[in-house]
Amino acid sequence: MTDTNEPARDWRDTVFLPKTDFPMKAGLAAKEPEILARWAKLGLYHRLREQRAGRERFILHDGPPYANGDIHMGHAMNKILKDIIVRSQSLMGKDAPYVPGWDCHGLPIEWKIEEAYRAKKLNKDEVPAAEFRAECRAYAEKWVAVQRGQFERLGVMGDWEDPYLTMKFDAEATIAGELLKFAESGQLYRGAKPVMWSPVEKTALAEAEVEYEDVMSTQIDVAFEIVDAPNAPELVGAQAVIWTTTPWTIPVNQALAYGPEVDYAVVRIGGKLWLVAEELVETFLKRLAATNLEARSFDWDGGDLAATENVQHIKGSDLAGATARHPMHALGGFFAKPRPFLPGEFVTTDAGTGLVHMAPDHGEDDFLLCKAHGIEPVFAVDGAGMYRADWAWLGGQGSVINKKFVAADGPICTDLREAGALLAASDDFAHSYPHSWRSKAKIIFRATPQWFIPMDGSRSSVVPAQTGAAATSAGDEPLEAPASAGATGRDVAAELPGFAAPAGFGPVVNPSNAPTLRNLALDAIERTRWVPERGQNRIRSMVEGRPDWVISRQRAWGVPIPLYVHRQSGDYLRDEGVNARILDAFRAGGADAWFGADHQALLGPDYALADYEVVNDILDVWFDSGSTHSFVVEARYGEGVRANLYLEGSDQHRGWFQSSLLESAGTRGRAPYDAVLTHGFALDGQGRKMSKSLGNVVDPLKIIGESGADILRLWVAQTDYFDDVRIGKEVLGGTGDAYRKIRNTFRYLLGALDGFADAEKVAVEKMPELELYILHKLGMLDVELKAAAEAYEFNRYARALSDFMNEDLSAFFFDIRKDCLYCDAADSPKRRAYRTVLDTLFHALVRYAAPILAFTAEEVWQARFPSEDGSVHFLEWPELPALPGDDAVSTEWEDIRRQRVAVTEAIEPLRREKVIRSSLEAEVTVPNLLRPAAELAEVFIVADVHHGSDDGVAVTRTEHKKCGRCWRLLPEVEADGALCHRCDSVVS
């Protein structure tokens, strides 16, 4: 003790306060670009590949975004999550390469070029095709460069010097080669079927390119006069009523469908007989009553609905063999042909009239039912949605998606009204309708000659393609599975011509499988890990119900379908030598090599070009991206290698996940991936979809510019990204608070470890219990983090890491030991043990944080271990010290922590009432002493602890005096400002 008569002095120069240059304020927006420049100079990605060479490889195959426009929040969320996973796998000691890529073909880019043309009042169709494709290529190159810089700014580590682009010549050659594999194995045909078609973009669309919007459509009831009914002759002269929300399909009507088990009524209204399903008579009459007199073709005034007369009841099956005439039969030709009644199992009484008009050009059910009865499409609507110029009714008019054209007062309804066939018409039917997600315009179903990959055809037989007149007959027959399908335990993949079963494929899971693409894909789904698990049911249901894959597009910018079709037989040429020459040409000149080719030279001396049609359709871009596994994963890492993980948004179950699955299953008999992870969409802070019209778009580039990429990375990690997530000012505010706590923890560690050296370390067996307890907690955290990383659950990972740093360290361990750190002698065993544990914590925590806070972890590491060529991202998962196997210590310390909480809660009222200013002024009485009183006083950060008989905690203000150096109130301090024994010893 010091002499109390000595003048008070300031002891701060004797206290070991933390010392670091690591700033509390992050300044990430300015600092992160400097770190990126350092990584680039260091060659971080390629150095890491060298260091991990020969290790177990983990391949996350990047799904290619379109190269058009700045990145949005969805891009940022996706790329950050991928980077977190790749870095975590690298941290676990694996060789985890990441090759970013871009989808460079297709409508998204064509559309942008066309927009520029329209702004200049140019017609795309008048521009030479080669010139147009060159502009598309230049546009894609521009945005690849822009997006690359933006993705790098997010901290995404990858092979940015050599990304994959679907427009690279080697990639285009491989895509064409994958298509030829389907052709060579008979998995390709040309036929005419209704497909989703965009009249605005003048091409077929994939399901993934379509979105649904609520619209108001025109609904009409139209009468078809029955002219023959062999099973119910009394129906002749009656009017069969159909209801439709697509009036533009009436000019292409070829039949009427009925439900064989539906009960129909013949109703007399206004002196005429009308045939309607019994269950729908009332709703039909309501539509009649709601239609203006001048808008319909007969003069019933609505009157009393009860005054209508049900004349007859018939069963749907009685309509077999009946025919009706088209309302516009007077035009002759196509319209004069009788319209047969056909039995349709899809006909219901949910809405309408119970009779469905059939236009095989414009509906799948229509097409299949009519085809089964020998009725073929007539191709009356062209690619722009206009009726053919030679069409007898409305020829050259349209477009069929023009609201005015199909309205109740438009030309279609006007002509039907004048023909006496329009019964009701209104523009008020609300429903959901498909639109092109790109142009936002309505799409139609339109039968056109297209190339298809069959889902249910046999792979063991040659499937001839059809052209010309045959394109709508034999060529689009569904392919039958062989009679032997269903043999137990068959190796389906081995039966596919053109490739061998990959190692480990084994017999199929479902013994009833036949060698069809659908069943191969369903098998592959069962063999794949889906994260979250619900993704498996989602994609399975889609594959189970999907139609044949339409792979052709009538556009210019893409990989052509490199086929020659024999003009007489309709078969496409299968010749390995020709295919080899085609692919060599692609490798040398890309897709343009086909459009400008000397096709006779490609065909060679054995074939005459005059005998063959050159196919000029391009491939669906989903086939492009579905083939990326072949020219990225296999090309870089070896034939037969597949990705460990595909990761995209949940909409890709019908997009990239599925196209990749079908492409690989059709050519390799398996999925191209071991696991698939899906994340939700980024919404605004109120849970709304972001849109420019709402003004609620959250720009990731703005966030990076203001707050730094690590804030965005932490937000991604903290979200429950398996579902839709929110981001906005309030959400990011919470993320910023969480980041500051993590940063301050590292700052404390850096300051507390100032001057620490290996010589100071204390062996585990010589450490106090508190240090052992914290190391035990660290070990538990280590196990939890590794499990979370392997499960791709980084919200769980981030939460566990943050909770440990905030609750176990800052609020508990650091709080207790700060007195020891500041005031114990520099070489005291307890202080050395504490700093030894801090060193262990530093090495572990900086590694744990690195996958998420890529920039901050690097800054922290360099602050302690500055170097020209080192990086935190070269490090591997920490090896923690082995601990004594005494779980009792941990259990007891959990009890002490609970008691500490109770003491803190008991002190708080006295602090609020200003009885005490700090917990150091409190003396507490507790029901049981879990450790010696002096040790508990340090843990509770109080003056003294006593044992009491009551159950609760009692608090009083201590009478002890305050040490002038450590500020603890202790019995040996004789006066405020004097020193306690420990401090006196240290300063002496």
Side-chain angles (χ1 to χ4, degrees):
M1 286 184 297
T2 58
D3 188 339
T4 58
N5 291 324
E6 291 182 5
R9 62 155 290 186
D10 188 341
W11 298 102
R12 283 179 294 183
D13 59 338
T14 70
V15 174
F16 303 107
L17 294 174
K19 182 181 178 182
T20 179
D21 293 329
F22 187 77
M24 181 180 297
K25 187 174 181 180
L28 294 175
K31 193 169 299 176
E32 288 173 346
E34 298 174 1
I35 296 174
L36 279 174
R38 182 179 183 276
W39 287 343
K41 182 179 179 182
L42 185 61
L44 177 66
Y45 176 80
H46 295 290
R47 284 274 304 278
L48 195 52
R49 298 284 69 74
E50 293 170 1
Q51 293 182 14
R52 297 290 195 274
R55 300 283 190 89
E56 177 187 352
R57 187 182 285 128
F58 178 90
I59 302 171
L60 189 158
H61 180 37
D62 186 35
Y66 282 119
N68 64 332
D70 291 313
I71 67 171
H72 53 65
M73 190 57 71
H75 288 128
M77 178 178 172
N78 176 267
K79 292 294 188 185
I80 288 172
L81 184 54
K82 288 174 179 175
D83 189 62
I84 289 172
I85 290 175
V86 168
R87 289 181 188 270
S88 68
Q89 293 292 324
S90 179
L91 181 63
M92 289 188 282
K94 297 177 184 176
D95 180 12
Y98 176 70
V99 181
W102 277 271
D103 209 340
C104 303
H105 294 134
L107 268 175
I109 291 166
E110 281 200 52
W111 190 251
K112 290 295 184 181
I113 301 301
E114 289 186 27
E115 283 182 342
Y117 282 176
R118 285 191 290 272
K120 299 175 184 177
K121 300 188 183 305
L122 295 176
N123 185 344
K124 170 246 181 181
D125 295 332
E126 297 174 359
V127 178
E131 181 181 325
F132 179 77
R133 290 195 297 273
E135 289 193 56
C136 290
R137 181 176 292 275
Y139 180 89
E141 287 173 345
K142 166 193 168 184
W143 283 108
V144 164
V146 171
Q147 290 187 1
R148 167 185 166 170
Q150 293 170 347
F151 287 140
E152 285 190 274
R153 182 61 186 85
L154 292 172
V156 179
M157 179 176 62
D159 194 356
W160 296 107
E161 297 172 7
D162 186 23
Y164 78 84
L165 309 178
T166 58
M167 67 180 181
K168 285 184 177 179
F169 290 177
D170 282 348
E172 291 181 329
T174 304
I175 293 166
E178 291 296 303
L179 185 277
L180 291 175
K181 290 179 183 179
F182 279 92
E184 290 166 356
S185 59
Q187 300 181 70
L188 199 60
Y189 72 92
R190 183 159 66 175
K193 290 183 177 182
V195 297
M196 290 182 288
W197 183 273
S198 170
V200 172
E201 293 140 323
K202 300 179 184 178
T203 188
L205 297 180
E207 184 182 356
E209 297 173 294
V210 172
E211 60 187 12
Y212 286 79
E213 295 180 13
D214 292 335
V215 298
M216 284 288 189
S217 292
T218 301
Q219 57 176 334
I220 60 174
D221 289 85
V222 181
F224 285 69
E225 183 182 351
I226 300 173
V227 296
D228 189 23
N231 297 316
E234 63 277 13
L235 290 179
V236 173
Q239 306 288 323
V241 182
I242 68 92
W243 170 84
T244 182
T245 60
T246 53
W248 61 270
T249 59
I250 297 294
V252 201
N253 168 272
Q254 296 199 62
L256 303 177
Y258 63 87
E261 300 302 319
V262 174
D263 293 319
Y264 290 89
V266 179
V267 183
R268 188 187 305 279
I269 310 172
K272 290 188 178 183
L273 299 179
W274 314 91
L275 179 66
V276 181
E278 283 187 359
E279 292 185 30
L280 297 169
V281 169
E282 184 176 349
T283 55
F284 164 60
L285 294 176
K286 287 180 179 179
R287 288 197 298 274
L288 289 185
T291 302
N292 294 330
L293 288 173
E294 61 272 14
R296 57 171 181 257
S297 300
F298 71 107
D299 58 3
W300 177 61
D301 63 2
D304 183 3
L305 295 181
T308 59
E309 178 187 358
N310 283 2
V311 176
Q312 186 180 355
H313 300 272
I314 67 168
K315 199 72 176 176
S317 55
D318 292 336
L319 294 172
T323 59
R325 62 183 185 180
H326 194 282
M328 305 301 291
H329 61 90
L331 294 173
F334 168 81
F335 295 98
K337 295 178 182 179
R339 269 42 181 177
F341 282 78
L342 306 177
E345 296 300 327
F346 53 83
V347 178
T348 69
T349 56
D350 294 337
T353 64
L355 295 170
V356 182
H357 101 86
M358 294 284 97
D361 286 76
H362 302 296
E364 186 172 1
D365 288 335
D366 309 47
F367 173 83
L368 295 174
L369 181 61
C370 287
K371 185 170 182 61
H373 291 82
I375 302 172
E376 299 291 346
V378 293
F379 311 108
V381 177
D382 68 15
M386 312 289 285
Y387 293 108
R388 282 177 5 211
D390 64 347
W391 201 242
W393 182 23
L394 302 167
Q397 297 187 48
S399 161
V400 299
I401 62 171
N402 184 301
K403 193 176 182 71
K404 292 182 179 180
F405 184 71
V406 299
D409 59 354
I412 298 172
C413 290
T414 297
D415 288 352
L416 288 172
R417 187 178 301 111
E418 292 175 356
L422 187 66
L423 308 182
S426 63
D427 300 321
D428 58 358
F429 183 73
H431 64 135
S432 182
Y433 191 87
H435 292 64
S436 165
W437 69 264
R438 196 169 300 104
S439 66
K440 308 304 179 184
K442 285 184 175 182
I443 67 168
I444 62 174
F445 282 87
R446 175 176 178 256
T448 59
Q450 300 287 347
W451 289 93
F452 296 85
I453 292 174
M455 292 299 297
D456 300 307
S458 169
R459 296 320 183 267
S460 58
S461 61
V462 172
V463 185
Q466 301 295 322
T467 187
T472 59
S473 54
D476 54 352
E477 288 289 340
L479 305 175
E480 298 296 327
S484 60
T488 303
R490 293 171 58 193
D491 189 346
V492 173
E495 299 184 28
L496 298 182
F499 68 89
F505 184 89
V508 296
V509 174
N510 184 344
S512 67
N513 274 352
T516 69
L517 180 56
R518 191 183 309 278
N519 282 323
L520 281 169
L522 291 172
D523 258 350
I525 290 170
E526 297 298 321
R527 300 169 185 272
T528 300
R529 175 188 173 193
W530 299 91
V531 184
E533 291 182 359
R534 62 177 179 268
Q536 180 172 348
N537 292 334
R538 179 175 169 85
I539 194 169
R540 185 198 298 116
S541 66
M542 291 179 174
V543 171
E544 285 174 341
R546 71 158 292 144
D548 291 349
W549 187 0
V550 188
I551 61 163
S552 51
R553 297 291 185 270
Q554 291 66 48
R555 301 295 296 187
W557 177 233
V559 177
I561 296 176
L563 295 176
Y564 297 105
V565 179
H566 197 273
R567 296 186 185 277
Q568 289 188 348
S569 71
D571 193 6
Y572 54 78
L573 182 63
R574 299 168 181 79
D575 185 295
E576 291 183 1
V578 173
N579 289 348
R581 287 192 289 274
I582 291 171
L583 297 183
D584 285 344
F586 269 68
R587 293 185 190 99
D592 283 347
W594 178 259
F595 295 115
D598 178 350
H599 287 288
Q600 184 59 68
L602 293 179
L603 283 167
D606 296 333
Y607 305 98
L609 179 59
D611 295 336
Y612 288 90
E613 170 201 350
V614 179
V615 176
N616 282 313
D617 287 348
I618 66 168
L619 277 166
D620 171 17
V621 290
W622 290 107
F623 191 93
D624 285 22
S625 59
S627 303
T628 55
H629 65 94
S630 59
F631 61 84
V632 179
V633 179
E634 290 187 343
R636 298 194 186 214
Y637 308 114
E639 186 176 353
V641 174
R642 57 178 156 184
N644 297 86
L645 184 67
Y646 276 33
L647 186 164
E648 301 298 331
S650 55
D651 58 334
Q652 294 307 311
H653 287 113
R654 66 172 185 160
W656 188 54
F657 298 152
Q658 190 174 150
S659 66
S660 299
L661 170 66
L662 296 180
E663 201 288 325
S664 182
T667 55
R668 292 155 177 79
R670 57 161 175 82
Y673 37 65
D674 291 328
V676 173
L677 186 151
T678 53
H679 60 76
F681 296 99
L683 309 176
D684 74 1
Q686 299 178 35
R688 300 174 300 172
K689 182 179 178 181
M690 295 186 198
S691 71
K692 291 180 180 178
S693 61
L694 290 176
N696 65 339
V697 174
V698 181
D699 184 358
L701 300 176
K702 183 178 181 181
I703 294 172
I704 294 169
E706 293 176 351
S707 304
D710 267 359
I711 298 298
L712 209 52
R713 293 176 67 94
L714 182 58
W715 167 76
V716 171
Q718 288 180 324
T719 62
D720 185 6
Y721 44 76
F722 296 136
D723 295 308
D724 292 347
V725 298
R726 298 185 180 193
I727 184 169
K729 186 174 181 180
E730 185 176 341
V731 173
L732 287 172
T735 304
D737 289 342
Y739 173 82
R740 280 186 287 275
K741 291 177 182 178
I742 293 171
R743 185 177 183 87
N744 285 339
T745 298
F746 279 124
R747 186 170 186 271
Y748 175 85
L749 286 169
L750 288 167
L753 287 167
D754 178 48
F756 182 82
D758 286 348
E760 189 179 330
K761 290 182 178 179
V762 173
V764 169
E765 57 271 17
K766 295 182 179 180
M767 288 184 178
E769 282 188 359
L770 178 56
E771 276 63 28
L772 293 176
Y773 169 68
I774 292 300
L775 290 177
H776 173 78
K777 295 290 287 186
L778 178 63
M780 293 175 63
L781 174 70
D782 186 87
V783 171
E784 170 66 3
L785 295 184
K786 185 167 285 189
E790 290 173 346
Y792 310 128
E793 295 176 1
F794 285 92
N795 57 340
R796 168 183 161 196
Y797 185 107
R799 183 172 59 251
L801 181 59
S802 180
D803 288 350
F804 178 77
M805 295 175 85
N806 295 333
E807 297 172 13
D808 292 314
L809 297 186
S810 295
F812 180 69
F813 188 46
F814 296 170
D815 195 34
I816 293 170
R817 285 293 192 242
K818 64 177 180 287
D819 174 74
C820 166
L821 176 70
Y822 299 168
C823 299
D824 276 12
D827 60 350
S828 76
K830 186 165 67 174
R831 188 175 188 274
R832 288 175 55 208
Y834 177 55
R835 295 232 297 171
T836 300
V837 171
L838 292 184
D839 180 64
T840 300
L841 288 169
F842 177 88
H843 280 280
L845 295 178
V846 75
R847 287 166 166 83
Y848 296 151
I852 298 173
L853 301 176
F855 294 102
T856 301
E858 186 72 277
E859 182 189 3
V860 169
W861 184 258
Q862 293 299 320
R864 187 173 180 202
F865 301 111
S867 69
E868 290 294 322
D869 60 353
S871 171
V872 70
H873 299 292
F874 292 147
L875 306 177
E876 296 185 28
W877 200 269
E879 293 185 11
L880 302 182
L883 300 177
D886 187 2
D887 290 336
V889 171
S890 176
T891 302
E892 290 171 0
W893 273 92
E894 291 293 338
D895 292 337
I896 293 172
R897 288 186 71 170
R898 282 188 286 272
Q899 194 173 64
R900 184 175 187 264
V901 170
V903 167
T904 301
E905 291 175 350
I907 290 173
E908 188 57 29
L910 277 72
R911 193 200 305 269
R912 286 199 303 268
E913 295 168 7
K914 303 192 184 313
V915 174
I916 59 175
R917 291 169 297 176
S918 153
S919 65
L920 288 170
E921 297 176 354
E923 288 193 24
V924 298
T925 303
V926 295
N928 53 329
L929 295 178
L930 301 176
R931 284 293 182 274
E935 186 175 344
L936 289 178
E938 182 182 3
V939 171
F940 297 162
I941 314 180
V942 296
D944 213 343
V945 179
H946 307 285
H947 180 262
S949 57
D950 296 335
D951 291 337
V953 176
V955 182
T956 59
R957 193 186 189 289
T958 185
E959 297 297 324
H960 301 324
K961 304 303 181 183
K962 182 178 179 181
C963 174
R965 180 171 178 270
C966 69
W967 294 1
R968 293 188 65 185
L969 284 79
L970 298 168
E972 70 257 30
V973 180
E974 297 180 356
D976 288 339
L979 298 186
C980 64
H981 294 322
R982 175 192 58 176
C983 290
D984 186 62
S985 174
V986 171
V987 299
S988 296

